[in-house]
Amino acid sequence: LFPVFSCYFPITFTPPPNDTIGITAEMLRDSLLSCLTTSELMAEQSVDLALGKLAAGDQATARMDSMDVLAAISSWVGVSKSLGVSGSRQVWSALRLQIVDGREAEVQARARSCLRHILREAATQEGGVGECTTAILNSMKMQ
């Protein structure tokens, strides 16, 4: 199912003039987010997709949607299962670029929020400072 969902990411929808149905871009984003993040089977592919969009430097909304995917996966699937140690380092590296080198305040704020969320989830799920949390914190020290 992942190829079916991923081709729509990120959502770039503008309702037509005189729209009578009432579908919004936010409704579509929320639904796609659920599709990409609720299954452990798609977690790795969804993380790769989100990291790719972050690295590509697409529009601010695409990067923020990518951060939403990463945060949601860490909650619903789990940090260790979805990211692991290696993925945790990759996520920190991608978020660091948005925080330190980013030009848009909203994107920087979302990146900080995403990082806090992932660290909080990792600490909760790992029962304190576990492998994923340590990997991110050690990567922070090196940079």
Side-chain angles (χ1 to χ4, degrees):
L1 288 176
F2 181 79
V4 173
F5 299 134
S6 64
C7 66
Y8 294 103
F9 185 81
I11 295 289
T12 55
F13 174 76
T14 304
N18 303 321
D19 178 33
T20 58
I21 298 172
I23 295 174
T24 66
E26 193 61 35
M27 291 166 70
L28 294 173
R29 273 189 205 98
D30 290 345
S31 295
L32 184 58
L33 181 64
S34 291
C35 292
L36 292 173
T37 60
T38 55
S39 171
E40 194 174 313
L41 299 173
M42 291 194 293
E44 184 178 336
Q45 294 169 305
S46 294
V47 168
D48 289 344
L49 176 67
L51 288 173
K53 295 295 180 181
L54 270 174
D58 288 339
Q59 297 176 335
T61 55
R63 288 180 280 141
M64 290 189 294
D65 287 351
S66 296
M67 290 180 245
D68 290 345
V69 167
L70 294 171
I73 287 175
S74 73
S75 293
W76 295 335
V77 176
V79 176
S80 295
K81 288 181 182 177
S82 63
L83 302 177
V85 173
S86 174
S88 295
R89 287 188 194 109
Q90 289 178 311
V91 167
W92 158 243
S93 182
L95 292 175
R96 184 191 67 76
L97 289 174
Q98 301 303 314
I99 294 167
V100 176
D101 298 338
R103 293 186 179 100
E104 302 102 336
E106 188 177 6
V107 174
Q108 289 175 317
R110 183 78 60 95
R112 287 190 303 271
S113 175
C114 181
L115 179 61
R116 278 192 306 272
H117 181 83
I118 290 170
L119 285 170
R120 189 178 314 114
E121 286 293 324
T124 301
Q125 294 164 12
E126 296 174 340
V129 180
E131 289 183 330
C132 293
T133 308
T134 303
I136 293 171
L137 295 175
N138 285 339
S139 294
M140 288 178 173
K141 289 179 193 176
M142 289 188 271
Q143 298 187 12

